[in-house]
Amino acid sequence: DLLSSFEEQKLEEQFGRIEETYGFIVAIGTDRYAKGGFESAAYRLADELGSDVMLLYVDMGTREYRVETNGRVAELYNEAAAEYIQKEFPSLLSEGEYYEAFARFGQDSAYIFEICKEGKEFKEPFHRGISIVLSLIVGLVLWGCISTSNAKDMQRKYAFSRQAVADTLYGVT
């Protein structure tokens, strides 16, 4: 077994809340060396679950995975959603962290459903970390410009002061 009974229960609760909130089914299907082809096995399982399904299907023999959608979920699942949902769980899956991978898949599915629930198209969120880094870069560039400007002013003032002292010492007026 991939999951303990406690972990299975937690996932069922999580996925149940998603279905209650959004009306979409989130499911995990696993198989070892899918018979009849990996893609067709994922499609058959999604079809069996009904309409409006977001299915993560994992071949545990090869660790290959596929996200299969149908119904209204297929309409929401654009390229940005596919990229977003596949950012975190594959690394957890490859590390053998199955519960964490499946829970993350559910969490990310719910996030996509939340964004799209009012008919909006899903777009990749702009991460706070990226905005902090960009802010730091802009700040450093501005600081560099100001510092360079101040340094040039100081050089001019120093050269002027040096010239004024030399003129005073040598009696040049």
Side-chain angles (χ1 to χ4, degrees), residues 151-170:
K152 288 179 182 176
D153 286 346
M154 299 220 13
Q155 286 175 342
R156 276 186 245 133
K157 287 178 185 175
Y158 176 72
F160 179 74
S161 296
R162 232 177 68 208
Q163 185 62 45
V165 168
D167 290 346
T168 304
L169 288 176
Y170 299 109

Side-chain angles (χ1 to χ4, degrees), residues 119-132:
K120 297 178 188 172
E121 180 181 348
F122 183 83
K123 295 181 181 170
E124 182 72 27
F126 192 68
H127 294 286
R128 186 181 312 192
I130 293 172
S131 63
I132 290 171

Side-chain angles (χ1 to χ4, degrees), residues 6-124:
F6 177 75
E7 290 171 329
E8 286 179 4
Q9 179 184 355
K10 296 298 281 179
L11 286 174
E12 286 175 12
E13 291 171 4
Q14 178 188 8
F15 294 172
R17 284 190 304 274
I18 292 170
E19 186 175 3
E20 286 174 20
T21 304
Y22 304 104
F24 300 135
I25 297 170
V26 174
I28 307 293
T30 60
D31 199 352
R32 184 169 292 281
Y33 305 105
K35 296 165 187 67
F38 179 71
E39 290 180 13
S40 63
Y43 180 78
R44 279 193 316 272
L45 181 56
D47 194 46
E48 287 172 19
L49 290 169
S51 63
D52 304 331
V53 174
M54 173 86 83
L55 168 71
L56 171 60
Y57 189 79
V58 182
D59 184 323
M60 298 310 296
T62 63
R63 296 294 192 271
E64 207 178 344
Y65 67 87
R66 178 174 177 83
V67 176
E68 191 67 52
T69 62
N70 65 22
R72 290 180 298 148
V73 176
E75 296 168 14
L76 306 176
Y77 195 69
N78 60 19
E79 188 174 325
E83 288 176 16
Y84 176 77
I85 207 158
Q86 294 180 45
K87 277 189 178 178
E88 298 292 328
F89 83 82
S91 63
L92 294 167
L93 196 61
S94 67
E95 293 169 6
E97 302 289 339
Y98 303 119
Y99 171 76
E100 288 79 6
F102 298 157
R104 183 59 190 234
F105 177 79
Q107 177 185 346
D108 291 345
S109 297
Y111 180 74
I112 291 169
F113 299 156
E114 179 65 28
I115 297 295
C116 297
K117 76 178 181 182
E118 296 173 5
K120 297 178 188 172
E121 180 181 348
F122 183 83
K123 295 181 181 170
E124 182 72 27

